[in-house]
Amino acid sequence: MVICIECNSSIASLYTWYSPANIKLTVCTKCNKFADKYIEHGNVVIFIDLLLLKPQVFRHLVFNLLAPIKVPKIRQQPDNEINNDKKNIRLLTPNPVDVLHPRVCRLSILITLFDVYLTWARVEKSFPHTQYAQHILSLPVIIQYIFFLFLCISETLIGHVAIRLMSARLRGYNKNNITGNTISTALFISSATKLFPILMVIWSYDIPLAAMVVGWVVNLNVIVTLCIILNCGYVKAIFITSITAILQILIWRNFIVWLILRNTSIDYFTVGLGSWRGILVGIWHSVSLLY
């Protein structure tokens, strides 16, 4: 179901099609404005408005253009319900499930690959190297890449699961026709800022500083996106993002690092991540990025 990007109300259609070069935008009956003006706008305008954090462009992308796709659920019919000569019959259930839009899936892969590059480069360029960093960088290149890929994927999964669960608990988004994949779509769009370091291919930047700036911008985008999609205040959005950052610190930077170092001669508690002081410093660092 598409929505009006101005008043957030559901509508039947966004436009009326007469010919390939002639369409008429639908006017919302509640706010008397065009339901989705971005249908006639180019990608450059959409990109600029996305940088300006305009609510209308987020609603256009999340609910109208890149909304999750409804796919019929296929199940195998039990043997006691069919004849012996028709045991391979599959049935479509009346309640379809929604999946991420293919373009969102491609965007998520691209964001993850750039996140791997940033994380890997930040560890290499940060001096002096800790025992943890020295151990990781001493491994073969392919093992290093697999490690950082696993690290970034696990961080993304932790963030999406935490935000989806807390959003459902605090806002009850299922009542507003918003599914978990809608939240994930909004999070991937707000995380597209991680693609900006592609400029490093052209110009040389301070990678640790660039990674920190990208982290600030991504957290800000996530807060604004949650406010727009969930129609909630900044206090709840900051609370959700803060708890997610804390979980990522506790699980991603502690449990996974312990899992990597547990069979080595490195004392995990001397790395600075395993001690309670290291945990508290990591939590403070992540929460401070939100303000």
Side-chain angles (χ1 to χ4, degrees), residues 5-34:
I5 64 174
E6 301 292 343
C7 63
N8 209 24
S9 59
S10 301
I11 58 176
S13 62
L14 299 175
Y15 59 90
T16 302
W17 186 85
Y18 296 103
S19 66
N22 185 14
I23 64 172
K24 180 181 179 182
L25 296 181
T26 301
V27 177
C28 180
T29 57
K30 291 187 177 181
C31 62
N32 293 323
K33 297 180 180 180
F34 288 126

Side-chain angles (χ1 to χ4, degrees), residues 253-279:
R253 296 188 182 178
N254 287 274
F255 174 73
I256 296 179
V257 172
W258 169 82
L259 194 64
I260 298 298
L261 301 180
R262 61 191 178 94
N263 293 326
T264 65
S265 59
I266 300 175
D267 186 2
Y268 175 66
F269 288 92
T270 63
V271 177
L273 296 173
S275 62
W276 283 106
R277 180 179 177 275
I279 294 176

Side-chain angles (χ1 to χ4, degrees), residues 174-233:
N174 288 329
K175 299 178 181 179
N176 299 328
N177 200 27
I178 301 177
T179 64
N181 283 332
T182 305
I183 302 295
S184 293
T185 300
L187 292 178
F188 280 126
I189 293 174
S190 63
S191 299
T193 314
K194 293 181 180 180
L195 301 179
F196 284 172
I198 193 176
L199 298 176
M200 293 179 183
V201 177
I202 306 174
W203 296 288
S204 178
Y205 288 96
D206 184 357
I207 292 180
L209 177 61
M212 183 183 67
V213 172
V214 168
W216 276 74
V217 176
V218 169
N219 283 323
L220 175 62
N221 285 347
V222 169
I223 292 173
V224 174
T225 301
L226 291 178
C227 292
I228 296 171
I229 302 303
L230 299 179
N231 196 22
C232 64

Side-chain angles (χ1 to χ4, degrees), residues 105-118:
C105 294
R106 292 194 293 268
L107 176 63
S108 65
I109 295 174
L110 191 60
I111 290 174
T112 302
L113 294 179
F114 268 87
D115 200 12
V116 170
Y117 167 74
L118 275 180

Side-chain angles (χ1 to χ4, degrees), residues 28-291:
C28 180
T29 57
K30 291 187 177 181
C31 62
N32 293 323
K33 297 180 180 180
F34 288 126
D36 194 343
K37 61 183 179 181
Y38 289 103
I39 293 178
E40 293 185 335
H41 289 180
N43 293 331
V44 176
V45 176
I46 294 177
F47 176 74
I48 294 175
D49 286 352
L50 193 63
L51 293 180
L52 297 176
L53 302 179
K54 291 189 176 181
Q56 292 85 354
V57 71
F58 278 98
R59 298 191 187 108
H60 163 73
L61 293 174
V62 175
F63 293 104
N64 295 342
L65 182 63
L66 302 176
I69 301 175
K70 298 291 184 180
V71 177
K73 187 176 181 181
I74 301 177
R75 68 177 180 87
Q76 189 75 29
Q77 190 175 9
D79 292 341
N80 56 2
E81 296 181 6
I82 59 178
N83 298 326
N84 293 330
D85 56 343
K86 298 180 179 180
K87 288 187 177 182
N88 294 324
I89 295 179
R90 293 185 175 183
L91 299 179
L92 300 180
T93 59
N95 297 323
V97 295
D98 66 326
V99 297
L100 291 176
H101 195 281
R103 293 169 66 178
V104 176
C105 294
R106 292 194 293 268
L107 176 63
S108 65
I109 295 174
L110 191 60
I111 290 174
T112 302
L113 294 179
F114 268 87
D115 200 12
V116 170
Y117 167 74
L118 275 180
T119 306
W120 196 351
R122 184 170 63 246
V123 172
E124 282 189 336
K125 299 294 183 179
S126 298
F127 293 99
H129 287 157
T130 62
Q131 286 183 304
Y132 154 70
Q134 291 176 357
H135 173 70
I136 297 300
L137 297 177
S138 65
L139 299 174
V141 175
I142 186 64
I143 302 299
Q144 292 183 44
Y145 184 81
I146 294 175
F147 168 75
F148 287 111
L149 180 62
F150 173 73
L151 217 58
C152 293
I153 292 176
S154 61
E155 182 190 19
T156 301
L157 289 177
I158 293 169
H160 279 244
V161 171
I163 291 178
R164 287 169 67 156
L165 291 177
M166 285 187 289
S167 299
R169 177 66 63 178
L170 294 178
R171 296 295 302 173
Y173 57 70
N174 288 329
K175 299 178 181 179
N176 299 328
N177 200 27
I178 301 177
T179 64
N181 283 332
T182 305
I183 302 295
S184 293
T185 300
L187 292 178
F188 280 126
I189 293 174
S190 63
S191 299
T193 314
K194 293 181 180 180
L195 301 179
F196 284 172
I198 193 176
L199 298 176
M200 293 179 183
V201 177
I202 306 174
W203 296 288
S204 178
Y205 288 96
D206 184 357
I207 292 180
L209 177 61
M212 183 183 67
V213 172
V214 168
W216 276 74
V217 176
V218 169
N219 283 323
L220 175 62
N221 285 347
V222 169
I223 292 173
V224 174
T225 301
L226 291 178
C227 292
I228 296 171
I229 302 303
L230 299 179
N231 196 22
C232 64
Y234 281 98
V235 175
K236 289 186 177 181
I238 292 175
F239 173 77
I240 293 175
T241 311
S242 301
I243 297 299
T244 302
I246 292 173
L247 290 176
Q248 288 175 333
I249 285 294
L250 293 177
I251 300 176
W252 178 61
R253 296 188 182 178
N254 287 274
F255 174 73
I256 296 179
V257 172
W258 169 82
L259 194 64
I260 298 298
L261 301 180
R262 61 191 178 94
N263 293 326
T264 65
S265 59
I266 300 175
D267 186 2
Y268 175 66
F269 288 92
T270 63
V271 177
L273 296 173
S275 62
W276 283 106
R277 180 179 177 275
I279 294 176
L280 294 177
V281 170
I283 292 174
W284 171 254
H285 174 71
S286 293
V287 175
S288 65
L289 292 178
L290 305 176
Y291 298 95

